[in-house]
Amino acid sequence: MKITINDDFDLDKIINSGQCFRPKKTGDNTYRFVTGEHIVEITNVSSHSAISDPNAPTELDVSCREKEWNEVWQSYFDLDTDYRKIRAGIPKEDTYLKEAASCGAGIRILRQDRFEMLISFIISQRKSIPAIRTSVERLVERYGHDGFFPNPVELLAATEDDLCACGLGYRVPYVRKATELVAHKDIDLDALDDLSDEELFGELKSFHGVGDKVANCIALFAYHRTGRAPVDTWIARVINEQYAGVNPFPRYGNVAGIMQQYMFFRAQGKGQYVSEKTL
DNA sequence: CTCCAGGGTTTGC
DNA sequence: GCAAACCATGGA
């Protein structure tokens, strides 16, 4: 099925933005995404001239039917939000963010599976992104089914030794306890969606092994709380070197999390800066 | 071999 | 309240 997108949309930047660990490139201009019990292959079939023009619409060929696209992937890719408008609203005084947003144009904040994000970001602490991917894939292979991330009941089957074999190291008890709480319905991850940002943040931090940074990542990438801006080692470095140690995110209100993603992408040296003139 | 990774918890003051 | 020690592994 053919899809046309009239907004920022760059699959390569999305899968390399650090917000997701499983989506991957499967061929020339083709990418595979998985969430919950859904899987889709997406090929960018835009003409070459359109790819070089940031304002041209993006033409996609997607493997799923229209019903699934509208009910699952439209929301997953946050296609009802105007990212160009958000980028245009960045004050030019914030020159570093202007450049970062130019580099990261095309990134979108994904609405990902809650349990998967909880477990993935617990694992993420003190690990490199490639190492996180390896551990998450091992969980999928051993405890998921049909290539889907294991649901809480499936992951409950993993003993502490099993989890250790997935390279989780000292995080094994964190993942184990979180899985038990969710599988036994002591905590309802879906019900947390009704909470305010601060209340959600507090509930997420009640998990052993979830601190400020991980709670904000889960809030941003699973609950789409775009006002949350996780501060990790990369962002802390940016705050120190570019903002004289003063956290710039409060001024960006409910789009702070989107700005954080642009900065994270830029801080890793990814993306190319495109000057305002060529935009 | 060494170094460090999208941090968090525990401990000691 | 704060700073420092400590944490298991994999990837570079």
Side-chain angles (χ1 to χ4, degrees):
Chain A
M1 186 182 68
K2 207 95 173 280
I3 297 288
T4 301
I5 296 172
N6 282 297
D7 192 21
D8 293 347
F9 192 85
D10 189 318
L11 291 167
D12 216 58
K13 290 181 185 176
I14 288 171
I15 68 169
N16 289 311
S17 64
Q19 61 177 308
C20 52
F21 303 108
R22 299 207 56 220
K24 58 183 176 184
K25 191 169 187 174
T26 56
D28 279 353
N29 298 320
T30 299
Y31 303 81
R32 176 182 297 149
F33 287 83
V34 189
T35 189
E37 302 263 333
H38 299 278
I39 182 167
V40 68
E41 289 238 0
I42 304 175
T43 303
N44 187 336
V45 293
S46 304
S47 65
H48 182 69
S49 58
I51 292 175
S52 60
D53 175 5
N55 289 318
T58 301
E59 307 280 344
L60 304 177
D61 189 19
V62 305
S63 64
C64 68
R65 300 187 179 210
E66 183 173 6
K67 179 178 168 66
E68 180 175 324
W69 182 265
N70 291 338
E71 292 180 358
V72 178
W73 302 106
Q74 178 90 11
S75 165
Y76 178 87
F77 288 109
D78 195 24
L79 293 177
D80 293 324
T81 300
D82 188 341
Y83 281 69
R84 282 183 187 159
K85 186 177 178 182
I86 291 170
R87 280 196 299 117
I90 299 171
K92 61 182 176 183
E93 301 83 61
D94 196 339
T95 54
Y96 180 79
L97 178 56
K98 269 288 188 191
E99 183 195 320
S102 173
C103 293
I107 292 174
R108 309 188 71 84
I109 306 297
L110 306 176
R111 274 190 186 77
Q112 300 182 76
D113 181 81
R114 289 157 189 164
F115 182 64
E116 179 176 345
M117 289 300 100
L118 171 66
I119 300 302
S120 296
F121 277 100
I122 286 176
I123 292 172
S124 77
Q125 64 174 260
R126 294 291 281 189
K127 267 185 177 296
S128 65
I129 291 179
I132 299 166
R133 287 203 171 99
T134 299
S135 286
V136 171
E137 283 304 330
R138 284 183 185 168
L139 292 181
V140 171
E141 288 167 12
R142 298 184 186 210
Y143 304 103
H145 66 278
D146 301 321
F148 301 126
F149 190 86
N151 63 41
V153 174
E154 288 172 332
L155 195 56
L156 199 59
T159 66
E160 298 215 344
D161 285 343
D162 295 333
L163 293 175
C164 202
C166 294
L168 302 199
Y170 68 89
R171 308 164 193 82
V172 165
Y174 299 162
V175 170
R176 184 65 192 159
K177 288 179 185 175
T179 301
E180 288 173 353
L181 284 172
V182 178
H184 296 152
K185 301 191 186 305
D186 294 322
I187 293 183
D188 182 350
L189 291 180
D190 293 331
L192 299 186
D193 200 30
D194 295 330
L195 301 179
S196 68
D197 284 11
E198 282 301 329
E199 290 171 331
L200 172 64
F201 185 65
E203 286 298 306
L204 291 173
K205 282 194 18 165
S206 74
F207 285 101
H208 198 37
V210 176
D212 289 9
K213 187 270 174 182
V214 168
N216 276 330
C217 282
I218 301 167
L220 180 58
F221 304 132
Y223 293 88
H224 208 261
R225 304 304 175 95
T226 54
R228 310 302 299 199
V231 177
D232 63 4
T233 53
W234 291 91
I235 296 299
R237 197 174 309 165
V238 169
I239 291 174
N240 282 326
E241 296 177 0
Q242 304 291 336
Y243 294 94
V246 182
N247 189 318
F249 295 112
R251 71 178 290 191
Y252 290 107
N254 63 359
V255 294
I258 299 174
M259 303 307 155
Q260 187 270 8
Q261 276 302 105
Y262 290 143
M263 288 191 199
F264 180 75
F265 191 79
R266 177 62 183 136
Q268 294 196 320
K270 296 177 177 176
Q272 277 194 320
Y273 177 58
V274 182
S275 76
E276 282 303 315
K277 290 179 181 177
T278 51
L279 280 178

